[in-house]
Amino acid sequence: LIPMAAGGSGMKEDLIQLGEGITGSLLKLGADEVFVIPTHRDTLMVRFSNNKVTVVQDWNVRGVDALAFFGKRHIVSRLEDVSSKAVEAWVARIARQAKAVPEVPEIAEVPRAHSFPDHVTGEKIDADRIGQGVGSAIDSALKAGAQRVSGIFVATVTHDALVGSNGSKGYDERPLFELNVRAFSGEASGQ
C-alpha cells in the first residue's frame, strides 16, 4: 500500500454528502428517523494458475444502505446505483414500501446522536506490490515442493460513512486483503 493522493479526503465528503441528501429526502417523505451508510469499495483481484498470473481485474463499487423509521414501521434497503435519478427513485420506493410494512409493537429506542472519530488509512491499492506478493507466494510454494500453484489475491480498500438524522456521523476507511494459495504435487494438494 502507498499513501493516497490528496484527493482522498474528497471520498469522505462525497459519501457524507450522499448520506445527508438521502437522509433529508427520507425525512421530507415522512420518516421519523433515518440512518444511512454510504460505501465505496476499490478492489484489485489477481488470479493465478499453473504458476502464472492469468487474470488481473480491478473495479470499484459505490452503494448505500438505509434504515428508516416511519412511526412503528421500519425498513432496511440497499442501493448500488447512486446516480441522482436512481437515488431519487429508491428514496420514493422506500417511503412507499414503508406503508406496506406491518407495524412493530415495540421498536428499540433510537440511539442518541454520536459522532465517531474518523478512521482513515491514507492508503490505496499498490498493484506492483500485490504482483510481487503473488510472485512470492508462487515461489514459496514451489520451493516447498509444489509442482503447480494456483490461487487468488484480492485487495480492497473500503470507505464507509455513517449519517443519522439524530446527528450521528462517522467515517471509516481501511484495507482488506485475502490470499488463497493451492499447491499441487502429483496427486496431493494443499491449501
Side-chain angles (χ1 to χ4, degrees):
L1 296 175
I2 57 176
M4 191 174 226
S9 65
M11 179 69 67
K12 173 187 172 184
E13 283 75 28
D14 288 351
L15 294 175
I16 294 287
Q17 184 178 19
L18 176 62
E20 288 173 342
I22 292 168
T23 298
S25 295
L26 283 167
L27 290 171
K28 285 179 187 172
L29 291 174
D32 301 309
E33 285 288 341
V34 179
F35 295 92
V36 177
I37 302 174
T39 61
H40 182 93
R41 305 278 184 268
D42 291 310
T43 301
L44 174 71
M45 177 199 70
V46 178
R47 193 168 60 205
F48 48 101
S49 180
N50 294 320
N51 309 334
K52 293 184 174 140
V53 171
T54 56
V55 176
V56 177
Q57 183 178 2
D58 69 333
W59 63 91
N60 61 59
V61 176
R62 189 169 285 197
V64 63
D65 294 289
L67 166 61
F69 295 88
F70 293 80
K72 292 192 174 277
R73 296 178 166 103
H74 65 273
I75 190 162
V76 176
S77 188
R78 173 141 183 92
L79 179 70
E80 290 191 358
D81 173 1
V82 294
S83 64
S84 297
K85 189 175 180 178
V87 169
E88 189 177 313
W90 178 64
V91 166
R93 189 171 56 250
I94 288 173
R96 276 193 320 274
Q97 290 173 345
K99 294 173 186 171
V101 173
E103 288 189 357
V104 177
E106 289 187 37
I107 294 181
E109 188 175 320
V110 174
R112 293 177 319 149
H114 185 71
S115 289
F116 304 92
D118 291 352
H119 176 267
V120 179
T121 64
E123 299 173 309
K124 66 177 185 175
I125 295 170
D126 181 346
D128 291 334
R129 189 165 173 200
I130 290 168
Q132 292 169 2
V134 167
S136 293
I138 292 170
D139 291 344
S140 294
L142 293 173
K143 285 179 186 170
Q147 295 168 334
R148 293 179 300 120
V149 183
S150 299
I152 190 168
F153 188 108
V154 179
T156 302
V157 175
T158 67
H159 309 265
D160 300 303
L162 167 68
V163 176
S165 60
N166 67 352
S168 295
K169 272 199 182 155
Y171 180 74
D172 184 79
E173 180 181 300
R174 65 186 66 225
L176 304 168
F177 302 98
E178 181 180 354
L179 174 63
N180 187 331
V181 179
R182 188 153 180 98
F184 302 88
S185 182
E187 295 296 315
S189 69
Q191 189 162 342

